[in-house]
Amino acid sequence: MTPPALKSPLIPLALAWLGYFTPWLWPVPAALRLSGYDLVEWLTFAQSVRDGTYPITRVDMLWPLIGLALLTALTIGIELLRIEPRRRQERKEKLFSSLCVLRVFAVKNWLQLALALFAAFLILPGYPFILTAHTDPELRPQLIAGLVTGLAVLLATTLAVYRPALAEWLSLSTSLIALTATLRAYALARQPIADIFTKPAPIGYGFMLTIVGFGWLAAQCLTRLWRNGRMPQVD
């Protein structure tokens, strides 16, 4: 029997968060450890990227972080689905009262929303570059990605509260897209970094944790949808 704690989406979500901000590539010297977030800036200094040999943009390395932001918001709905049906119905009937919003949004949910918005904030260009990012062809896509992600987080949170079952379907698709984006980001970054250090950099544990986290989230969503009879039936 699976322990209840292992059924929570918060565990694989935490693994994905930890993985994105820990080493994806571990070149020599060992003290230089490049996380997924580090690669956003590091690749801009690679000559093979700057001269167009490898057409890589900052947003290519940020897609996993965008996935983390959306999944952090959507898992609020998955957690609400774990509430027994009677309590869910009571909350649904009182959903439009301000007190109900505070009841539905427990402290943990507020923290998840804050974390999701923080992820969207990290996508934005840093200060002072953000002040002129709208005029910079290199930084403009990053600025747009951060602003759109912040809006998407708020929409995903609203959806998670009002339509938690739909949020679970979106969590499944977002997990799979984020998993694909992580594999793609690593594949794109590996060769330019190898060119800088004149040899391939070993895979870091952070990349593996990110893959495990997104894959685990997708597997959990599939399992819940199947057990609850929300998967399409094949005759």
Side-chain angles (χ1 to χ4, degrees), residues 25-28 186 190-191 193-203:
L25 295 170
W26 204 317
V28 177
Y186 176 80
R190 186 172 173 81
Q191 190 55 50
I193 297 299
D195 291 346
I196 294 175
F197 295 99
T198 68
K199 61 181 178 180
I203 298 176

Side-chain angles (χ1 to χ4, degrees), residues 140-162:
R140 189 185 302 119
Q142 185 178 353
L143 175 66
I144 294 173
L147 295 176
V148 171
T149 301
L151 178 60
V153 162
L154 297 176
L155 293 175
T157 304
T158 303
L159 181 67
V161 173
Y162 284 88

